[in-house]
Amino acid sequence: MLNLDAEKVAREPWWFTVHPASGDMPAVEVRFVPIGRVALRTARRAAAAAIGAELPDDEATLSPELMEKAGDILSESLLMSGIDQWRGVGDAAGEPVDVTPERLALFLADPIRFEKLDEAYVRPFVLKELEKNVSSPLLNGISAGAMPAQDTANRSARRTAKAGAKRTRKKVSRKAAPTGKTNPAPTAGSASGT
């Protein structure tokens, strides 16, 4: 059963310690507001716009570099909209300053701080959404029952007629797809080192 009381509690802002207090330096803390639909949609658009011009022309998968770039932009956008207050952040005179987009961009420019905030705020949300949106457990091992996918089918696919589907007759040579019970013929290897 869906627990709306638990979801209401999860929608409340929460504080995160970025740097603990040290000597006479106060702790640096930020207040996160939960990630909502609008913030997520905005972050997705920002990531898509940033990598859109760099997408390959063919239908190939994104390169690791483009995926990292999209992930960084998504995280930055979510952090920019998700941090609404902070403590322990001030100006040169040591006076506390309010959160502004310019100050927050400067705050997030530090790569170590950015990674720490991303790990605490964005990644848990993304992992939770991945688990909600897939029909099977995640293969990275964080879900109970996660198992690697098979590379081959258990048996050959069979043709079925769907109701109302238009059938066309074509002469095509039929060859069964490789299955877990068949072995493909070995192929000749190439000479190495040349």
Side-chain angles (χ1 to χ4, degrees):
M1 178 181 299
L2 182 64
N3 183 344
L4 289 179
D5 290 334
E7 289 199 8
K8 182 179 178 185
V9 170
R11 301 296 313 149
E12 306 225 349
W14 54 281
W15 286 92
F16 174 74
T17 302
V18 182
H19 303 292
S22 175
D24 61 346
M25 296 293 292
V28 175
E29 299 172 301
V30 296
R31 189 175 88 152
F32 290 127
V33 294
I35 297 172
R37 291 186 313 267
V38 174
L40 183 59
R41 202 173 302 125
T42 302
R44 285 178 177 159
R45 284 189 195 125
I51 66 167
E54 298 180 50
L55 288 174
D57 290 334
D58 60 1
E59 295 296 319
T61 58
L62 291 178
S63 69
E65 293 81 19
L66 278 180
M67 289 179 69
E68 284 178 358
K69 182 176 181 179
D72 286 346
I73 292 167
L74 181 95
S75 291
E76 182 177 18
S77 178
L78 289 173
L79 287 167
M80 290 290 290
S81 65
I83 297 173
D84 70 340
Q85 294 180 32
W86 54 30
R87 296 188 280 226
V89 179
D91 60 15
E95 294 297 318
V97 293
D98 292 331
V99 176
T100 65
E102 296 80 22
R103 289 178 182 144
L104 191 50
L106 186 59
F107 185 77
L108 295 175
D110 178 68
I112 295 170
R113 189 179 306 131
F114 181 88
E115 283 297 317
K116 192 170 189 177
L117 293 166
D118 185 43
E119 185 74 31
Y121 183 65
V122 178
R123 288 182 190 158
F125 174 81
V126 170
L127 291 174
K128 186 174 109 184
E129 289 302 304
L130 285 173
E131 285 199 352
K132 282 194 321 192
N133 293 328
V134 296
S135 59
S136 61
L138 291 175
L139 297 177
N140 65 3
I142 65 168
S143 298
M147 295 182 61
Q150 292 182 342
D151 291 333
T152 57
N154 288 328
R155 61 185 178 137
S156 297
R158 296 180 189 195
R159 291 177 50 166
T160 59
K162 292 185 179 178
K166 189 175 181 180
R167 294 187 70 163
T168 58
R169 296 190 185 263
K170 293 182 182 178
K171 291 204 172 202
V172 179
S173 63
R174 293 185 184 141
K175 182 179 178 185
T179 66
K181 295 181 177 120
T182 61
N183 293 325
T187 57
S190 61
S192 63
T194 58

